[in-house]
Amino acid sequence: MKLTRALPLATLTAAVAVASQAQAQTEITVATVNNNDMIIMQSLTEEFEAAHPDIELDWVVLEENVLRQRMTTDIATDGGQFDVMTIGTYEVPIWAERGWLSPLDNLPEDYRVDDLLSTVRDGLSHDGTLHALPFYGESSMMYYRQDLFDDAGIEVPEQPSWDEVRDWAGQLHDPDNELAGICLRGKPGWGENMAFVSTLVNTFGGRWFDMDWNAQLDSPEWQAAIQFYVDLLNDYGPPGASSNGFNENQALFSSGKCAIWVDATSAAGRIYNPDESQVADHLGFSQAPVAETPKGSHWLWSWALAIPATSEKQDAAREFITWATSQEYIELVGETEGWASVPPGTRTSTYEDERYIEAAPFAEFVLEAMRNADPTDSTLEPSPYIGVQFVGIPEFQSIGTQVGQMVAAALTGERSVEEALDAAQSATQRTMQRAGYTD
């Protein structure tokens, strides 16, 4: 008979406790984009884990284009690398229809689903059921340096035009002092430069496709919009504009190197925060500019948290995403980061909170922009698709990225605008034929 030496009681108790904790704890992998709101979410990991000691968070934080590529590849191949994915209004209905996302019905009563803005909730639903929960929502708007505008005697109307914006950028452009007249997205990608460019094309009267799904990228409206965009950035933009996406332009504007910036409303909280922005005390804002029509001039988007159907940790993932998109989370960010920094554009209650209204002079403006953006009627001529800054079909991710590269080539001078759009037209029409949309 083999004798074993008994462990001291305290040691045995500690070992059992450690083993029990290890056995009970579930690690979930959360993939997200490296935007400021998500970085705040990651910084609050300890708060979540303290309240949920049985769940541990493992973060994968990626640049926007890389995130989209990784998410799409993983979900389409049943890779199962992630338990929570940060995706948006474009992906959710398409992926939900294919059965790739877990439906989010029967949410806790205290989550208050009815508090979510209806436009955002509808965009993240399939057959009336949510398949992702909104982390933040956004439209687009124009930010500008009020101090520079005042010095130049420029008054901004309630609805600026793109011709006026070009004139203002020309007046204020001062490269000798590292001040660009305007900053706009130039980095290629369907969710980077093409998110902005699509709204520009919309307001010039253009559309991606006609009612028979024929590509319209070589139309006079596209030609006019892209030529305007290329000339504007080459004349009055910052150096290397073709490398700048949302984050890069936000950094430039916040450091005082842009006089005008047209981009997402979600940036407002950061550039109005004096701890994050050198120009927080000298800001003005207005509607996104228009050209021939106001239709489709400002987008509608939500970054949201979804659970892939392949995740084996559904309950823990649901615990996390309901926490990160709750009123409780918004309260936590308000108390720890300041009320101007709370995730915008998701809940009606945020826009009824006096603390937020006082800290965020842009609050009501953003709310109205989101409510008025209409993805079902975003073009001057009729179009067969849903979406303002994207086309709600599975093929658009590839099409938009390819066209974005061609637009960037026009911006850098590698191709003329006409050459870039002719190539974009041919590639897009070929894709649509192969996919069966056209003969």
Side-chain angles (χ1 to χ4, degrees), residues 170-248:
Q171 291 182 56
L172 299 174
H173 189 59
D174 186 6
D176 291 341
N177 289 301
E178 296 186 29
L179 176 68
I182 191 165
C183 288
L184 300 170
R185 297 189 190 192
K187 180 188 290 186
W190 73 265
E192 279 284 10
N193 64 343
M194 295 314 296
F196 167 75
V197 166
S198 293
T199 62
L200 182 68
V201 168
N202 289 342
T203 195
F204 269 75
R207 53 186 172 167
W208 277 89
F209 301 99
D210 68 15
M211 291 301 290
D212 294 319
W213 290 105
N214 293 304
Q216 301 292 294
L217 281 80
D218 60 353
S219 67
E221 293 82 7
W222 270 83
Q223 293 277 352
I226 302 307
Q227 191 66 62
F228 178 89
Y229 165 78
V230 167
D231 292 344
L232 181 62
L233 275 181
N234 282 332
D235 290 345
Y236 308 126
S242 63
S243 298
N244 296 337
F246 170 77
N247 283 330
E248 292 81 6

Side-chain angles (χ1 to χ4, degrees), residues 6-292:
L7 291 171
L9 181 59
T11 302
L12 183 60
T13 301
V16 170
V18 170
S20 298
Q21 183 178 7
Q23 185 178 16
Q25 195 166 56
T26 300
E27 182 180 87
I28 60 172
T29 301
V30 181
T32 196
V33 67
N34 63 341
N35 291 350
N36 186 60
D37 291 276
M38 285 71 170
I39 291 171
I40 291 174
M41 176 171 59
Q42 186 185 13
S43 74
L44 296 172
T45 293
E46 291 183 2
E47 296 283 345
F48 173 79
E49 291 180 345
H52 303 82
D54 56 332
I55 303 174
E56 182 179 352
L57 303 179
D58 177 33
W59 293 91
V60 178
V61 182
L62 301 167
E63 185 269 334
E64 187 168 323
N65 286 338
V66 177
L67 175 82
R68 288 189 161 117
Q69 184 178 33
R70 287 275 301 275
M71 297 298 94
T72 303
T73 300
D74 188 73
I75 199 90
T77 60
D78 290 337
Q81 295 182 54
F82 309 106
D83 302 297
V84 173
M85 291 181 165
T86 303
I87 57 178
T89 312
Y90 165 71
E91 295 96 344
V92 173
I94 295 171
W95 292 6
E97 185 178 12
R98 296 181 174 189
W100 291 351
L101 302 176
S102 297
L104 299 170
D105 47 9
N106 299 319
L107 291 166
E109 185 177 346
D110 62 3
Y111 183 75
R112 293 188 62 198
V113 172
D114 290 343
D115 186 43
L116 300 176
L117 296 178
S118 59
T119 51
V120 173
R121 190 170 67 239
D122 292 346
L124 299 177
S125 297
H126 173 63
D127 285 344
T129 299
L130 280 163
H131 282 72
L133 300 181
F135 182 65
Y136 73 76
E138 63 183 33
S139 185
S140 52
M141 62 193 288
M142 187 179 89
Y143 305 98
Y144 59 92
R145 287 277 302 279
Q146 186 70 64
D147 55 335
L148 299 179
F149 274 57
D150 288 346
D151 290 345
I154 299 170
E155 292 188 12
V156 178
E158 184 176 344
Q159 176 60 77
S161 71
W162 275 112
D163 284 341
E164 288 173 319
V165 169
R166 179 179 56 199
D167 290 343
W168 300 335
Q171 291 182 56
L172 299 174
H173 189 59
D174 186 6
D176 291 341
N177 289 301
E178 296 186 29
L179 176 68
I182 191 165
C183 288
L184 300 170
R185 297 189 190 192
K187 180 188 290 186
W190 73 265
E192 279 284 10
N193 64 343
M194 295 314 296
F196 167 75
V197 166
S198 293
T199 62
L200 182 68
V201 168
N202 289 342
T203 195
F204 269 75
R207 53 186 172 167
W208 277 89
F209 301 99
D210 68 15
M211 291 301 290
D212 294 319
W213 290 105
N214 293 304
Q216 301 292 294
L217 281 80
D218 60 353
S219 67
E221 293 82 7
W222 270 83
Q223 293 277 352
I226 302 307
Q227 191 66 62
F228 178 89
Y229 165 78
V230 167
D231 292 344
L232 181 62
L233 275 181
N234 282 332
D235 290 345
Y236 308 126
S242 63
S243 298
N244 296 337
F246 170 77
N247 283 330
E248 292 81 6
N249 283 325
Q250 180 176 254
L252 286 170
F253 189 83
S254 296
S255 61
K257 295 184 178 180
C258 302
I260 304 168
W261 181 34
V262 181
D263 212 298
T265 58
S266 59
R270 190 171 190 185
I271 63 175
Y272 269 90
N273 183 346
D275 294 332
E276 300 276 355
S277 170
Q278 297 176 26
V279 296
D281 296 331
H282 309 290
L283 285 177
F285 58 87
S286 75
Q287 301 280 351
V290 301
E292 301 300 321

Side-chain angles (χ1 to χ4, degrees), residues 278-309:
Q278 297 176 26
V279 296
D281 296 331
H282 309 290
L283 285 177
F285 58 87
S286 75
Q287 301 280 351
V290 301
E292 301 300 321
T293 176
K295 275 195 173 184
S297 60
H298 56 279
W299 66 63
L300 181 67
W301 181 256
S302 174
W303 277 116
L305 303 178
I307 305 172

Side-chain angles (χ1 to χ4, degrees), residues 327-361:
Q327 283 181 283
E328 172 193 357
Y329 177 84
I330 290 173
E331 182 83 23
L332 176 62
V333 175
E335 295 297 334
T336 58
E337 303 291 328
W339 279 93
S341 298
V342 304
T346 61
R347 289 184 171 273
T348 301
S349 56
T350 301
Y351 293 89
E352 295 172 346
D353 193 310
E354 291 297 330
R355 294 169 296 182
Y356 183 62
I357 294 170
E358 183 178 350

